[in-house]
Amino acid sequence: MSAPAKKAADAPAPAGPPRRNLLAAMAAGGFGLVAGIMAIVPGGWAFISPLLKKRDTAVRWIRVAMLDAVPADGLPHRFPIIEERVDAWNRYPPEPVGAVYLTRTGATPSPQCFTADCPHLGCSVDFKSDQNEYKCPCHASGFALDGHVLFGPSPRPLDSLSVELRNGNEIWVRFEKFRSGIAEKIAQ
């Protein structure tokens, strides 16, 4: 036999990886898995938890105007409802979310309030001072100064809202929206 062939037969077999390397790899994998779970679970909870919160359906009182801004002439005056909105992840700056009409006469210091949404399909009604009535531009419903239906397809009068005078001259309205297209006044 030749010298190189004898050397190959006498050489020891290559050794496999020691058990310590296998245990170290398993431990590193386990620690990595635990570290990954510790990062994913709180991150996932932060993403999902806003969706699980109950919606704030409470009706809020909103300061609409000062008493001096509503003349005691008996004619309706339109005021925006400005509110800060919050959804699952975002907080929005105060912005208009609706409108109301306030009417005041000299005999009553507290104004009467109607929402500016038509009960028929929710279009925004306008007050026509030359005709002394509210008009819906979408489907031609008309409403008297006291809110009752004069003509058109509206199933109910204009929706009235509760009003409070606070601090002597601040007008606060219990603002809420109602379902449109039905005869009953049901909050959304």
Side-chain angles (χ1 to χ4, degrees), residues 30-182:
F31 286 127
L33 181 65
V34 169
I37 289 173
M38 290 177 66
I40 290 172
V41 169
W45 180 252
F47 181 73
I48 293 173
S49 66
L51 297 175
L52 302 176
K53 289 180 183 176
K54 290 185 178 180
R55 260 183 75 199
D56 181 15
T57 57
V59 177
R60 289 173 294 284
W61 286 88
I62 298 173
R63 190 179 81 143
V64 176
M66 302 302 279
L67 192 59
D68 298 345
V70 183
D73 58 4
L75 295 176
H77 298 274
R78 186 181 179 111
F79 293 90
I81 297 294
I82 298 175
E83 189 174 42
E84 181 181 82
R85 290 184 310 117
V86 178
D87 67 13
W89 293 280
N90 300 309
R91 180 176 301 272
Y92 299 96
E95 63 185 354
V97 294
V100 295
Y101 282 99
L102 296 173
T103 306
R104 187 167 72 104
T105 61
T108 59
S110 183
Q112 182 181 22
C113 182
F114 294 110
T115 180
D117 296 335
C118 180
H120 178 229
L121 292 177
C123 295
S124 183
V125 298
D126 298 317
F127 178 72
K128 303 293 183 184
S129 58
D130 58 335
Q131 299 167 3
N132 234 16
E133 60 189 35
Y134 299 96
K135 293 265 178 119
C136 177
C138 296
H139 300 100
S141 289
F143 305 91
L145 282 174
D146 65 0
H148 77 269
V149 179
L150 295 173
F151 53 85
S154 180
R156 66 177 184 266
L158 286 177
D159 297 317
S160 61
L161 300 172
S162 299
V163 177
E164 282 184 4
L165 283 179
R166 296 183 185 175
N167 302 322
N169 63 350
E170 294 178 351
I171 300 172
W172 289 73
V173 172
R174 185 175 182 232
F175 184 71
E176 58 186 320
K177 293 191 175 232
F178 301 96
R179 292 175 57 190
S180 57
I182 59 174

